[in-house]
């Protein structure tokens, strides 16, 4: 079934400055975001994700390209004429207003009737579970509560698209995880298209319907979290999304072999390649069995699992993630000889 597109960027570029000092923040970015989708722009600092978000919001104008909203060209429209709201990292709440007044502010600026404003505010506070805090001011709230007020205020006018610019980065780890679930719940209950910007891979994988990975102003790959994680199109994507082992290999005669000579995948084209394998796909067996010889370097305990670092022939390091036994000791002593194995369908072959 074909989904309706809410946001579309067509060949968008953005350059700051001129001449030798010019910086290209966006480089020919094209993307389509479906109605009712939770879409995440993921990448390191300076990759262009926030610049793209600001172009959608109208806070920046593309140097080239077009921004469409529900098929309508909004490239030149000012922010106040776009049915789009933004939630910032800093929350941007009015410190002298109560929670109710903060949520009502945007509705009042739009000239909504008082009865409608009151009803909408009550509905929004119930949605973010802050009814009991309606009369408090921002200074009397925790960071997570302030973030919920900012979300309620942004959702109150029922925008077509809600843009979220790293809104959880200022929260501590436990609260950030709680708010991840809250954001997904709010998006599901409202049905509003969410475009979320983050550099946190875990946020992207756990919250998103689809993810767009960016680097150096370019959009490298778009897909579901599972697609991005299991089938990265480049070494950058494989390395940025989760932990990955990268092993040098050579493709010849339709087979990819490691330095040990072990065949690990099939490939038509010949030449040097990089073999990518996730740590959870690496298996460890006793020395002398069929597999790739390795020496255990160290074990790092992470609670539910243990990371076993091993060295292959040529000094290449491989990490296996194994479930920690009740004792906490994975049973692999440094210097022990083992072999590593991984199934062909767990291996990704990337061009060098």
């Amino acid at each position: 079934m074909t989904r309706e597109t809410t946001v579309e960027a067509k060949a968008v570029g953005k350059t700051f400055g001129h001449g030798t000092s010019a910086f290209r923040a966006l480089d020919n970015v094209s993307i389509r975001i479906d109605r009712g989708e939770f879409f995440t722009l993921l990448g390191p600092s300076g990759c262009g994700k926030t610049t793209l978000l600001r172009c959608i919001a109208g806070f920046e104008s593309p140097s080239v390209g077009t921004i469409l909203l529900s098929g309508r060209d909004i490239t030149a429209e000012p922010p106040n004429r776009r049915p789009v709201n933004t939630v910032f990292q800093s929350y941007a709440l009015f410190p002298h207003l109560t929670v109710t007044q903060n949520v009502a502010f945007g509705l009042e600026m739009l000239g909504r009737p008082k009865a409608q404003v009151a009803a909408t505010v009550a509905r929004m506070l119930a949605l973010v579970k802050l009814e009991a805090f309606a009369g408090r001011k921002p200074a009397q709230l925790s960071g997570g509560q302030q973030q919920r007020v900012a979300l309620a205020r942004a959702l109150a006018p029922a925008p077509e698209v809600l843009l979220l610019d790293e809104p959880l980065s200022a929260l501590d780890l436990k609260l950030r995880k709680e708010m991840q679930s809250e954001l997904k719940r709010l998006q599901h209950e409202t049905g509003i298209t969410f475009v979320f910007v983050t550099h946190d891979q875990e946020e992207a994988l756990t919250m998103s319907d689809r993810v767009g990975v960016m680097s150096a102003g370019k959009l490298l790959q778009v897909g579901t979290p599972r697609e991005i994680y299991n089938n990265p199109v480049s070494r950058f994507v494989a390395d940025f999304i989760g932990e990955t082992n990268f092993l040098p290999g050579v493709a010849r005669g339709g087979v990819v072999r490691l330095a040990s000579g072990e065949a690990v995948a099939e490939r038509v084209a010949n030449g040097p390649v990089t073999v990518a394998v996730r740590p959870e796909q690496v298996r460890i067996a006793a020395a002398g069995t069929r597999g790739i010889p390795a020496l255990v370097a160290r074990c790092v305990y992470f609670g539910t699992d243990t990371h076993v670092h091993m060295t292959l022939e040529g000094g290449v390091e491989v990490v296996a993630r194994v479930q920690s036994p009740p004792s906490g000791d994975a049973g692999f002593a440094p210097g022990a000889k083992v072999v590593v194995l991984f199934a062909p369908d767990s291996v990704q072959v990337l061009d060098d």
Side-chain angles (χ1 to χ4, degrees):
M1 184 177 68
T2 303
R3 301 275 309 264
E4 182 182 354
T5 300
T6 302
V7 179
E8 184 173 6
K10 291 186 175 181
V12 169
K14 178 64 178 179
T15 301
F16 294 98
H18 302 280
T20 56
S21 63
F23 170 69
R24 183 175 293 179
L26 294 175
D27 187 358
N28 193 34
V29 173
S30 295
I31 196 168
R32 298 177 65 150
I33 300 172
D34 294 333
R35 185 172 300 282
E37 184 174 32
F38 196 122
F39 190 97
T40 295
L41 294 168
L42 173 68
S45 298
C47 72
K49 56 189 187 295
T50 293
T51 301
L52 180 57
L53 198 80
R54 289 176 64 83
C55 287
I56 296 170
F59 302 137
E60 298 286 353
S61 297
S63 303
V64 294
T66 306
I67 303 288
L68 303 174
L69 185 64
S70 299
R72 179 169 61 89
D73 187 346
I74 61 168
T75 311
E77 288 192 0
N80 63 309
R81 293 187 58 189
R82 304 184 186 202
V84 172
N85 269 352
T86 305
V87 177
F88 300 99
Q89 178 180 337
S90 61
Y91 314 147
L93 300 177
F94 297 111
H96 62 290
L97 300 182
T98 66
V99 168
T100 293
Q101 291 167 334
N102 265 282
V103 177
F105 183 83
L107 298 170
E108 292 170 346
M109 291 298 99
L110 292 171
R112 303 283 174 83
K114 288 186 177 180
Q116 182 183 347
V117 171
T120 301
V121 169
R123 189 170 68 253
M124 289 299 105
L125 293 184
L127 186 66
V128 298
K129 301 177 181 178
L130 285 178
E131 304 101 307
F133 301 86
R136 295 191 185 183
K137 292 184 178 179
Q140 299 172 298
L141 303 175
S142 68
Q145 290 166 343
Q146 290 182 46
Q147 186 59 275
R148 293 184 187 198
V149 177
L151 284 166
R153 184 179 61 184
L155 290 168
E160 285 189 45
V161 180
L162 185 65
L163 308 175
L164 302 107
D165 188 9
E166 304 211 42
L168 308 183
S169 60
L171 305 179
D172 62 53
L173 179 61
K174 184 176 181 181
L175 186 54
R176 191 159 68 243
K177 289 183 178 296
E178 291 176 1
M179 285 302 300
Q180 288 172 12
S181 298
E182 283 297 299
L183 277 178
K184 189 60 181 175
R185 177 185 67 83
L186 289 171
Q187 192 272 332
H188 178 74
E189 291 185 13
T190 62
I192 292 173
T193 304
F194 277 27
V195 183
F196 185 86
V197 161
T198 185
H199 62 273
D200 188 313
Q201 55 178 281
E202 182 179 317
E203 285 183 356
L205 292 176
T206 58
M207 297 167 62
S208 314
D209 296 315
R210 286 192 304 151
V211 178
V213 183
M214 298 187 66
S215 176
K218 293 181 179 292
L219 185 65
L220 302 183
Q221 186 173 357
V222 175
T224 65
R226 189 178 299 275
E227 290 168 346
I228 295 287
Y229 187 83
N230 291 329
N231 299 291
V233 297
S234 68
R235 179 167 180 147
F236 177 88
V237 175
D239 196 24
F240 195 77
I241 305 292
E243 298 179 30
T244 311
N245 294 297
F246 294 109
L247 313 175
V250 175
R252 186 174 294 113
V255 177
V256 175
R257 296 184 184 275
L258 302 181
S260 64
E262 187 79 12
V264 294
E266 296 180 353
R267 186 177 175 87
V268 175
N270 292 331
V273 296
T274 296
V275 174
V277 187
R278 300 290 185 184
E280 65 270 18
Q281 299 292 347
V282 178
R283 300 291 178 263
I284 306 174
T289 56
R290 182 178 177 84
I292 305 167
L295 288 176
V296 175
R298 65 188 184 280
C299 296
V300 182
Y301 179 68
F302 282 90
T304 57
D305 55 38
T306 297
H307 292 193
V308 182
H309 295 251
M310 296 163 287
T311 304
L312 306 185
E313 182 181 328
V316 177
E317 185 177 274
V318 170
V319 179
R321 183 182 299 148
V322 299
Q323 186 172 5
S324 299
S327 65
D329 184 358
F332 300 105
K337 294 182 178 181
V338 295
V339 298
V340 300
L341 313 105
F342 27 84
D345 59 0
S346 68
V347 171
Q348 296 293 316
V349 181
L350 309 173
D351 291 317
D352 273 5

